[in-house]
Structure formats: C-alpha cells, structure tokens
Amino acid sequence: MTEPLDRLAAHAAESHAVVVGGGMAGLAAALEFAKVGLRVTVLEAGDRLGGVLRSAEVGGFTLDVGAESYATRGGTVRALVDELGLGDAVTTPNPAGAWVAGLPGGLAAPLPRGGVLGIPANPWSPEVRRIIGRRGVWRAFVDRIRPPLTIGHERSLGTLVRSRMGERVLDRLVAPVTGGVYSARPDDIDVDIAAPGLNAALTRTGSLSGAVADLTAGRTAAPGSAVEGIVGGMGRLVDALVSRLADLDVELRTGADVAELRRGAAEPGDGAEGWSVVLSDGTVLAAGAVLVALPEAAARRVLAPHVPDLDPEAGESPVVEVVTLVVDAPDLDRHPRGSGVLVVPGARAAKALTHSTAKWSWLAEQADPGVHVVRVSFGAQGEEPATAGLDDTDAARLALAEASALLGVPLQPAHLRAARRERYTQSQPGAFIGRAERTGEARDAIRAVAGIGAAGAWLSGTGLAQVVPDAQHEADRLRSALLWSGGTPL
Ligand SMILES: Cc1cc2nc3c(=O)[nH]c(=O)nc-3n(C[C@H](O)[C@H](O)[C@H](O)COP(=O)(O)OP(=O)(O)OC[C@H]3O[C@@H](n4cnc5c(N)ncnc54)[C@H](O)[C@@H]3O)c2cc1C
C-alpha cells in the first residue's frame, strides 16, 4: 500500500461519526457509516430506538402504534428490509380500500377508486354521486365544459379543485384524503409536488377530471400509493436494524439527550478541528462528523448556532394523537368499512381510522374470534387533537365512541379490552406550499458547513420511502467528506 493510502486507512479507522437522533433516519444513516468501518455512535434521547416507528403491546398484541407500512416507491425501504433478512416477512395490506365518513346525515361511503388525491376521473360514476349528490355532480361536470387555465398553472390543490369541480368534490373527496395523508388542508398542498403531472395533463386534456383519467389510465393503484408492511409489525425493522448495527460495533446510547454542538475537539490535544457533541448531562463526545437526525425544532436549535443562514425557528408542525383500541366486537368481522375510514374535516372529532385487523391479515390471524384492533387518529395542521386535554381513560372513551360512529357498529365501554394512546409531532409535509423552498434553503445552509449534516422527515418529506434514502444519501455525503479529507482528521 502506498503511503497516502496507509494514511487514509489509518484515518478511516480513527474517524468517529456521531449520529444525533435514533429514529429511522438516524439508524439508516448509522448503517451507512458503519458499513465502511467508521467508528459510529448513535445518541438517542428517549429510552428506545426507532423514533416514530414505535411498537407496543396492547391487549396481548405486539403491534405498531406509529408508522405501520412503507411505500414501495423507489424500492429503498424494501432493499433495506431484504438486506436485514426480513424479506420473507413482507406483506401487503388488504386491498379493500378505505371509506369516507362525516357525509351529510352522518353517512359513510366507500372512497371511489381510480382518483388522484380524491379527485375523481368520472364525476358521473355512482360511487362519486353517492358522496357528492346530484348537485355536486353537475357542478363537477362544469369542469368538462370550462376552458382550462390559461395563465400559468394553479399551485394550490384546494384552489384548483374548488374552481374546476366545486366545493363538494373538495370537501367530501379531496379534503378527507389530504387530511389522512398529509394532516393538511387541500388549500395548503402544492399540486405539483403532491400530484406531479396533473397540471400538465389538465392543459393537455382540457379538464381536471380528464387530467385525472389521463394520469390514472391503465393503473391499478394511484402513483406512489402501493405500500407494504412486515408480518409482526414495522417494529421488527427497527429491531433488525439495531441488531445489525450492534454487530457492526456501533455504539447505541439511549437516554442521551444532545444539548448542543461545539466546534473543535473535546479534549485539548485532539486537534482544533472536528466537532464536540455535548449531552445535557455534561458528557462531551468528539466527532469527525456529526449527522443530526432530529425532529425539525430540535434540529434547527442544535444546528443554528453553527449554520449562519439557518432559521432557528421551525414552522408550525401538526400534532397528532393515535389511540389504538382492542375491542370485542364480532360485528367487525365483516369489515364494515374496508380497511379504514377517512373523515370529512370538521365533521367529527377523529381525523381518520384504521381497522387494523381488516387491513393486516397477520394481525387478524393472531386475534381470537370477534376481537379487533382499531386505530383512531386525532389532530391535523392547525388543529389540536380532540384528545389533547383528556386523560388516557377519557381519550380511550372518545376514541371508542368515534370508532363506533365511523365503523357504524355499536361499541360500548364493555367492548373495550385495552387501549393505548401515543402523541406525535409530525413534520410539515413536503407537499405543503413553500415547504420545498424552505427545506432546500436549510439543506444548502447546512451543507456549507464542513463536518456536519442533517437528515430526517423534516428535510426529506414524511414517508419512510423518502426518509430512508435521503438519510443514506446524507450519510454517504458526510462519510466521503470525512474519508477523503486528505488523510488529515477533519
Ligand atoms: C402516527 C404516524 C404514522 C405514520 N405512519 C407512516 C407509515 O405508515 N408509513 C410511512 O412511510 N411513514 C409513516 N409516518 C411517517 C414516518 O414514520 C416518519 O416520518 C419517520 O419515521 C421519521 O423518522 P425520523 O428519523 O426523521 O424522525 P423520528 O422518528 O422522530 O426520530 C427522531 C429521534 O430523535 C430523538 N431526539 C429528539 N430530540 C433529541 C435530542 N435532543 N437528543 C437526542 N435524540 C433526540 C427522538 O427521540 C427520536 O427518536 C408516520 C408518522 C406518524 C407520526
């Protein structure tokens, strides 16, 4: 080996990468660092790893109480699942589809298939008419006879749908979908990010419903909507990742609350370069590179003192609460609302419901006859969860009442076997208008500073199909900079 390569090898062996935050972004990044033999430490403030990928025992089931699936788009999460030996456990949800509830008169109906973000291709179809009524259908039909937009194109999904197809399509079909997928109102969603190609297809076909038909022609599922899960729950992905990291000698510290970063090495004599990571208990770790994989508010707070152009303030982030219920309810055996229910915003306290034992066969197979698992979600952008001020017992009671109404079956407190409530602060969705510009600026500002990087849902967009490849990419960028810094520790 030539001398520079010897130096490089020695440098690689000594280099220390510290990952701050032990959610999926942090763990995926840590694996990338560890694969090339770097010394890696993951610092997680909580008492468990995985972040929003949270698994818990509820009423005798071990199940996901946070993220429960991943989009197959891009193939990166699936590749990770395979790499970690979980390929045989991959499963797909029941294709029964979801319903929409909170329609006038308290009615519910199956969400029509073949749309884009709830926008129908054919307003005259009986499934659409059942939801928006005759008046809504005629208003939606106006879209076919109006000239397409001529000046530029419409950025706000809400404005686009309202102007072309009317309030009923917007409120009863599109808003429940954006509430369920993005925890956001259609007015705040950027059409070009949420439905790429829709504006162009509108110009091409002359109508919004025509554009939807054009985009969905020949497709069995909406683009990007195909998802997979893991038998036993997504928590297994975290367990497998943690065990692989341990095999690669990655140090995984929980209860390690990172308070700040400082420039320069921790100990005198370690050299003036690099970074020091300071925990709230005063512990200091020296690092050649630091990858910050924290939620937005914490990430901005830690990074801003060293990243001149980074705004220290995070935007408003939706808070959601998910109440998982295990109920004795044989009426649910017939899956009365498919795999779950989306709700017309404002119509009810709950935002959405997943009938987990209808959606995932592996879970149904574990259940005694007549026993079901249901997840009820509360809260959205700009809207506190209705459960927020309640104690756990009252939150479970409210979730049970909502589940009863949304599923159209009587559910009394006597039916409730167990309940568990989780609270999450979500990242603003990547499709939020203006969000891409803001995160793009943050990224550029962070990348201008040597030896630090950042990943996580606030930068990549919220789905695991975005979080995982983005974190891998950021780790790759940092590790290259670390290794090729001329054999001199950064
Ligand atoms: C209820 C819910 C359901 C979801 N369902 C799905 C789904 O089905 N499919 C899908 O693709 N996506 C889903 N998502 C989105 C996806 O799960 C998340 O976007 C993703 O897991 C976020 O990963 P992350 O690593 O960026 O952040 P997090 O998981 O939030 O990880 C950040 C970590 O940093 C830690 N931390 C915070 N402060 C500090 C500190 N000072 N020092 C050290 N550590 C700290 C936190 O404790 C946490 O563990 C869901 C999200 C929610 C909220």
Side-chain angles (χ1 to χ4, degrees):
M1 200 185 279
T2 59
E3 206 186 303
L5 289 180
D6 283 342
R7 259 208 334 264
L8 180 70
H11 175 53
E14 283 163 17
S15 297
H16 186 203
V18 171
V19 176
V20 182
M24 271 308 286
L27 297 178
L31 183 59
E32 291 306 297
F33 285 134
K35 274 180 183 171
V36 296
L38 293 178
R39 188 158 75 84
V40 188
T41 303
V42 176
L43 300 172
E44 163 57 47
D47 57 6
R48 40 165 288 284
L49 294 156
V52 175
L53 244 68
R54 219 173 272 181
S55 158
E57 217 216 275
V58 191
F61 296 93
T62 301
L63 40 70
D64 294 315
V65 291
E68 52 158 17
S69 63
Y70 57 89
T72 54
R73 187 175 66 242
T76 319
V77 184
R78 176 57 191 267
L80 180 65
V81 167
D82 288 339
E83 182 186 338
L84 295 171
L86 288 171
D88 289 346
V90 168
T91 184
T92 51
N94 176 350
W99 283 47
V100 59
L103 298 170
L107 296 177
L111 200 61
R113 288 172 184 272
V116 169
L117 294 169
I119 309 168
N122 174 13
W124 293 103
S125 79
E127 300 81 43
V128 174
R129 198 177 63 212
R130 189 171 164 193
I131 293 174
I132 62 175
R134 257 174 202 290
R135 225 179 75 203
V137 170
W138 276 105
R139 174 61 189 86
F141 181 66
V142 170
D143 166 55
R144 293 266 174 166
I145 50 183
R146 271 188 69 190
L149 304 176
T150 45
I151 310 164
H153 63 235
E154 185 52 61
R155 192 168 183 196
S156 157
L157 178 68
T159 308
L160 177 67
V161 174
R162 188 182 292 110
S163 67
R164 302 268 351 157
M165 299 181 85
E167 298 282 350
R168 288 195 181 180
V169 170
L170 181 68
D171 295 343
R172 299 185 195 174
L173 289 167
V174 177
V177 172
T178 61
V181 176
Y182 300 112
S183 299
R185 290 176 292 263
D187 282 330
D188 296 326
I189 295 297
D190 192 326
V191 181
D192 292 332
I193 295 178
L198 189 65
N199 263 311
L202 170 56
T203 314
R204 207 164 50 239
T205 61
S207 71
L208 184 55
S209 54
V212 169
D214 189 61
L215 283 188
T216 54
R219 282 192 196 133
T220 47
S225 70
V227 299
E228 291 176 345
I230 295 176
V231 172
M234 291 292 287
R236 289 184 66 194
L237 179 60
V238 176
D239 295 343
L241 198 41
V242 165
S243 122
R244 176 64 56 87
L245 291 172
D247 287 347
L248 291 168
D249 292 329
V250 172
E251 188 187 359
L252 298 156
R253 287 202 202 174
T254 51
D257 177 29
V258 172
E260 61 169 315
L261 301 183
R262 286 188 201 142
R263 267 181 206 276
E267 300 288 335
D270 279 1
E273 304 292 343
W275 291 88
S276 297
V277 183
V278 185
L279 306 188
S280 56
D281 66 4
T283 311
V284 182
L285 279 85
V290 182
L291 192 147
V292 175
L294 296 174
E296 181 169 14
R300 286 186 183 270
R301 184 170 33 77
V302 165
L303 288 163
H306 307 288
V307 182
D309 294 329
L310 184 70
D311 184 348
E313 297 299 322
E316 191 207 339
S317 303
V319 173
V320 298
E321 292 200 350
V322 178
V323 184
T324 302
L325 306 171
V326 177
V327 289
D328 259 318
D331 283 350
L332 292 181
D333 288 350
R334 62 191 161 87
H335 302 168
R337 299 289 189 257
S339 58
V341 184
L342 299 170
V343 182
V344 173
R348 300 211 54 93
K351 183 191 75 173
L353 173 149
T354 304
H355 184 172
S356 305
T357 31
K359 186 169 181 179
W360 301 108
S361 55
W362 64 265
L363 199 54
E365 282 158 18
Q366 289 181 12
D368 291 337
V371 173
H372 286 267
V373 179
V374 169
R375 283 163 49 128
V376 188
S377 314
F378 297 89
Q381 181 85 31
E383 189 189 316
E384 266 279 280
T387 39
L390 306 178
D391 63 22
D392 286 354
T393 308
D394 285 345
R397 221 170 259 158
L398 177 61
L400 188 71
E402 288 296 292
S404 176
L406 295 175
L407 291 163
V409 300
L411 293 173
Q412 307 296 337
H415 296 123
L416 186 62
R417 281 194 173 191
R420 179 169 175 124
R421 167 218 214 158
E422 298 286 331
R423 186 177 176 86
Y424 301 93
T425 302
Q426 282 189 306
S427 293
Q428 233 183 35
F432 209 81
I433 290 176
R435 182 72 183 165
E437 289 88 339
R438 190 163 145 80
T439 50
E441 283 164 16
R443 247 190 218 295
D444 290 347
I446 294 163
R447 287 184 177 169
V449 181
I452 55 172
W458 70 280
L459 284 165
S460 63
T462 47
L464 293 170
Q466 294 157 288
V467 171
V468 170
D470 185 71
Q472 291 172 337
H473 185 259
E474 185 68 349
D476 180 44
R477 183 188 71 79
L478 264 188
R479 79 182 176 190
S480 301
L482 184 63
L483 293 176
W484 296 102
S485 57
T488 328
L490 276 168

